């Protein structure tokens, strides 16, 4: 028989895998038909939150709740862009690491407060990398000068590589 924490870990892993796939679809196919993807993604985020609540893991519960709220905002504004997707993928990686540590009875290395703050900023359309970096508006909302365009292109290219790497690593690890 599996323990509740083992069932939790399995459930979290499956939901994260599904959310990764849905986020990629939402980013690649905005608009037409994306309502079903949003519904599915919100349902998965809500289920992550519920699973965390069952095992009394408020950190994962709060991260999943914030993700659910941002999905609702972006669905209304039809605005899920690469900034959101990158932050969501980081959030899901954090939840996966936290759930693994939880099941093993270890502490984790995730700065939950910083991640929650960045998710809160993203809900308002502001983004930053990690602690200590000032928030900025989404690149889709910013008109950059010519020199900044080269930096933005480089960042976007590395985000695309990270996303492809995530997609590949998710398949290979059973996540």
């Amino acid at each position: 028989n599996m323990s509740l924490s083992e069932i939790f870990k399995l459930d979290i892993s499956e939901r994260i895998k599904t959310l990764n796939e849905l986020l990629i679809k939402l980013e690649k196919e905005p608009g037409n038909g994306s309502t079903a993807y949003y519904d599915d993604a919100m349902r998965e985020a809500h289920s992550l939150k519920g699973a965390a609540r069952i095992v009394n893991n408020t950190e994962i519960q709060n991260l999943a709740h914030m993700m659910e709220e941002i999905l609702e905002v972006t669905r209304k504004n039809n605005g899920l862009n690469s900034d959101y997707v990158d932050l969501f993928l980081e959030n899901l990686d954090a939840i996966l690491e936290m759930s693994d540590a939880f099941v093993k009875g270890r502490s984790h290395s995730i700065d939950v407060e910083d991640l929650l703050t960045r998710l809160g900023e993203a809900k308002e359309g502001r983004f930053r990398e990690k602690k200590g970096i000032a928030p900025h508006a989404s690149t889709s909302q910013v008109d950059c000068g010519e020199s900044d365009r080269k930096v933005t292109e480089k960042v976007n290219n590395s985000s695309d590589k990270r996303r492809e790497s995530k997609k590949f690593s998710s398949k290979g690890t059973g996540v």
Side-chain angles (χ1 to χ4, degrees), residues 13 16-17 32 39 42-43 52 55 58 64-65 95 113-114 119 133-134 152 162 172:
S13 297
I16 287 175
K17 178 183 176 188
N32 56 349
D39 290 344
M42 289 177 63
R43 190 172 16 266
V55 297
T58 56
H65 177 72
I95 290 172
E113 285 304 312
D114 181 59
L119 286 163
I133 300 173
T152 301
R162 180 179 178 266

Side-chain angles (χ1 to χ4, degrees), residues 38 47 60 90 145 155:
Y38 271 109
S47 295
I60 293 176
E90 180 185 345
V155 168

Side-chain angles (χ1 to χ4, degrees), residues 130-163:
K130 290 197 177 192
K131 192 180 253 181
I133 300 173
H136 67 279
S138 168
T139 54
S140 63
Q141 301 168 358
V142 175
D143 184 20
C144 307
E146 189 59 39
S147 63
D148 289 340
R149 284 197 205 316
K150 291 178 183 173
V151 172
T152 301
E153 286 174 17
K154 188 174 184 177
V155 168
N156 287 342
N157 287 339
S158 67
S159 292
D160 291 342
K161 288 177 185 171
R162 180 179 178 266
R163 195 170 299 106

Side-chain angles (χ1 to χ4, degrees), residues 18 44-45 52-53 60 68 77 96 109 142 166 170:
T18 302
E44 293 297 325
R53 184 179 298 132
I60 293 176
E68 186 180 19
N77 300 333
L96 189 62
S109 62
V142 175
K166 290 252 180 253
S170 293

Side-chain angles (χ1 to χ4, degrees), residues 37-147:
Y37 293 147
Y38 271 109
D39 290 344
D40 291 346
M42 289 177 63
R43 190 172 16 266
E44 293 297 325
H46 185 77
S47 295
L48 276 175
K49 181 176 72 174
R53 184 179 298 132
I54 288 170
V55 297
N56 201 28
N57 189 313
T58 56
E59 291 179 323
I60 293 176
Q61 183 180 339
N62 291 336
L63 291 170
H65 177 72
M66 188 60 85
M67 187 172 181
E68 186 180 19
E69 285 186 355
I70 294 169
L71 282 165
E72 181 64 35
V73 169
T74 57
R75 174 170 55 181
K76 287 178 183 172
N77 300 333
N78 198 21
L80 190 73
N81 60 35
S82 63
D83 288 324
Y84 287 107
V85 172
D86 288 345
L87 183 58
F88 283 165
L89 293 174
E90 180 185 345
N91 187 44
L92 292 174
D93 286 348
I95 290 172
L96 189 62
E97 181 181 324
M98 292 165 61
S99 65
D100 188 53
F102 177 81
V103 169
K104 293 176 180 174
R106 298 185 335 231
S107 59
H108 60 77
S109 62
I110 304 299
D111 186 344
V112 177
E113 285 304 312
D114 181 59
L115 190 50
L116 283 169
T117 299
R118 289 187 296 124
L119 286 163
E121 291 167 352
K123 187 176 173 184
E124 299 170 6
R126 297 178 298 135
F127 298 88
R128 66 179 165 84
E129 289 301 312
K130 290 197 177 192
K131 192 180 253 181
I133 300 173
H136 67 279
S138 168
T139 54
S140 63
Q141 301 168 358
V142 175
D143 184 20
C144 307
E146 189 59 39
S147 63

